[in-house]
Amino acid sequence: MNRKRLALLQVLMALSVIIVITSIEFVGSVRAGSTETEIVEYTPSISPEEYERRYKEFYGDTTKQMAEEGNPGELMLEDGEELFHSVDGSKGKSCASCHGENGKDLVGAATTFPKYDPEIKGIKTVALQINMCREKRMGAKPLKYESYDQLALELYVKSLSNGMPINVSIDGPAGPFYEKGKAFYYKRQGQFNFNCAICHVKYAGYMARANLISHYRGHADHWPSYRLKWGAVGSLQRRFRGCMKNTRTKPLPYQSEEYRNLELYLTYISNGLPIQVPGFRM
Ligand code: HEC
Ligand code: HEC
């Protein structure tokens, strides 16, 4: 088959998957659209364990082996450790000046993030916390989200909780933000009128083009991750943006209120799973 025809075939295949899901979902959207605030929750297509089984069957140990041979995220992690111990800003401090040599006072801290912060009256992620400390405690400039140094520091802080179970609370003032995050996950948007849950809850374990769609439990335990497709390390929020672009939805800015609430929701779904950074993904 020549290249043009192959490309056309791929486009047709991609469209057909979308059309099938769109037509199945159309009925649901009419029903769900009638009351804006009410969420019609889906029953997960499969259990997280069944998803793991299908993942192994589909990809084998390829990703695991590649990660073992060398995860480029490990180099970034080392740079993050160095940054943590470097003085920056007008107050002549490093992160380690307050949080201890080798971040000893932050061991386990990342397991409780994202969390409510009374000062911003909203949800703070690890990324946001780091910038708050830089500005307020160090007199240093906030790091640009998704820049190398920002990801490196986030990676280092999270690595201090590696192997520890995620333990995010949605009690008290965090509750309403969790509900907003969940509403976002179920909100239909974009040209295809999709929501996140259709794919990652209702059709988890099914195929979308050449991809096995993942189960949402486990989405938040391995970021920042190195992704082959990016050829770089990126954050969970970069992934949010990617999925929104793929479904023809306008992506939102990093650390926007919506994405912080969404991160809280998805991290809560992963409660109990151990943090494992840097992740490695296709
Ligand atoms: C001058 C002292 C100081 C410096 C320097 C500092 N922090 Fe903090 N940090 C704090 C204080 C105080 C808190 C707790 C109150 C708050 O949330 O601001 C905190 C909270 C945190 C937390 C959350 C801990 C928890 O258990 O909730 C993290 C993570 C953190 N800092 C990371 C960093 C990083 C990374 C740097 C360097 C970029 C840094 N901090 C620099 C004082 C500091
Ligand atoms: C049309 C189906 C579809 C929709 C809708 C969709 N995604 Fe995805 N998503 C995928 C596919 C395919 C992948 C790549 C394979 C995988 O890990 O599932 C992916 C990957 C992800 C990952 C990475 C998982 C990991 O462990 O590395 C996250 C996080 C994610 N999506 C979040 C979202 C969010 C948030 C939304 C809604 C804004 C969304 N997705 C909407 C299909 C979808």
Side-chain angles (χ1 to χ4, degrees), residues 15-224:
L15 276 178
S16 60
V17 172
I18 287 161
I19 289 167
V20 171
I21 299 187
T22 313
S23 48
I24 298 172
E25 292 309 323
F26 181 70
V27 181
S29 76
V30 173
R31 231 187 308 130
S34 51
T35 42
E36 274 232 86
T37 46
E38 191 190 326
I39 296 173
V40 183
E41 271 191 69
Y42 303 138
T43 313
S45 52
I46 49 169
S47 66
E49 294 73 26
E50 172 61 14
Y51 168 71
E52 286 302 320
R53 202 192 58 75
R54 289 191 194 182
Y55 184 92
K56 278 224 173 77
E57 195 177 275
F58 191 69
Y59 294 112
D61 281 333
T62 328
T63 9
K64 214 176 133 207
Q65 274 168 14
M66 288 171 96
E68 274 163 14
E69 273 166 32
N71 183 344
E74 298 290 348
L75 294 175
M76 183 186 259
L77 181 56
E78 285 170 23
D79 291 338
E81 181 174 6
E82 208 179 301
L83 279 169
F84 190 88
H85 295 89
S86 312
V87 172
D88 198 0
S90 59
K91 299 188 180 169
K93 294 210 186 302
S94 73
C95 312
S97 322
C98 295
H99 296 297
E101 217 33 47
N102 301 317
K104 66 175 169 44
D105 299 335
L106 292 179
V107 171
T111 59
T112 60
F113 276 80
K115 59 167 75 158
Y116 179 79
D117 183 286
E119 202 174 303
I120 59 167
K121 296 192 175 59
I123 296 303
K124 70 179 172 191
T125 54
V126 171
L128 201 75
Q129 171 75 63
I130 293 171
N131 269 344
M132 283 164 76
C133 277
R134 280 181 58 84
E135 287 194 83
K136 211 166 59 176
R137 318 262 176 204
M138 295 169 73
K141 274 204 229 130
L143 297 168
K144 191 172 181 292
Y145 292 115
E146 225 58 21
S147 64
Y148 188 90
D149 286 2
Q150 187 272 314
L151 288 169
L153 260 180
E154 181 178 346
L155 196 50
Y156 180 68
V157 169
K158 285 204 175 164
S159 76
L160 298 169
S161 299
N162 264 348
M164 300 179 197
I166 296 175
N167 184 22
V168 161
S169 165
I170 54 167
D171 295 340
F177 297 96
Y178 166 85
E179 293 301 334
K180 281 189 197 172
K182 182 174 176 181
F184 188 92
Y185 207 68
Y186 277 87
K187 181 177 146 196
R188 289 174 175 278
Q189 328 183 48
Q191 276 177 31
F192 300 139
N193 205 28
F194 274 160
N195 63 31
C196 315
I198 288 179
C199 284
H200 294 296
V201 180
K202 204 171 169 183
Y203 289 102
Y206 287 71
M207 302 295 294
R209 297 193 231 179
N211 295 303
L212 183 70
I213 303 177
S214 53
H215 194 287
Y216 69 158
R217 180 162 161 86
H219 269 190
D221 60 4
H222 56 280
W223 303 95

